[in-house]
Amino acid sequence: FMLMTIGPALVILSIAENARSRITKFLIVYGKVPFFYFIFHLFLIHSMAMIFYYISGKGTGNIDFTGAATKMPNVGYPLWVVYLVWLSVVFILYYLCKWYGNYKTNHPEKKWLSYL
């Protein structure tokens, strides 16, 4: 099973390695700064979640900090809203990641940037 999944994936990867298109240029921006994207997307998603929670009319008294994974009735948004938020996070962070990738490339003397 592993060989059947890894083998075709490696073949596709070797073919796609030299492909250049608008999609690959878009994805390369994220590939240059993966940890930076990871940190900032968590911050942005959690901030947006709190904003959407307050927009829905809930207050801080309704938040369960015990960690219990219970579903409250009438809480949540339709799937199309979730997809819209997801796409907005990806596009908002695209410009931030592009800026940081260029900054990282233009400042090779700052070695600590390679960790972020």
Side-chain angles (χ1 to χ4, degrees), residues 36-51:
F36 181 81
Y37 177 82
F38 176 74
I39 295 297
F40 276 92
H41 101 278
L42 285 178
F43 172 74
L44 184 60
I45 288 173
H46 281 81
S47 300
M48 289 176 76
M50 291 304 296
I51 290 169

Side-chain angles (χ1 to χ4, degrees), residues 3 8 27 36 43 56 61 63 69 76 78 88-89 99 106 113:
L3 291 177
L27 294 175
F36 181 81
F43 172 74
S56 69
I63 299 175
S88 66
V89 167
W99 170 81
N106 295 330
L113 292 176

Side-chain angles (χ1 to χ4, degrees), residues 91-110:
F91 283 114
I92 288 169
L93 289 180
Y94 172 78
Y95 296 104
L96 189 61
C97 289
K98 189 172 183 177
W99 170 81
Y100 182 70
N102 290 335
Y103 182 79
K104 196 163 104 169
T105 302
N106 295 330
H107 293 86
E109 71 278 359
K110 297 182 180 180

Side-chain angles (χ1 to χ4, degrees), residues 66-77:
T66 62
T70 57
K71 174 88 169 105
M72 295 187 296
N74 301 324
V75 174
Y77 290 92

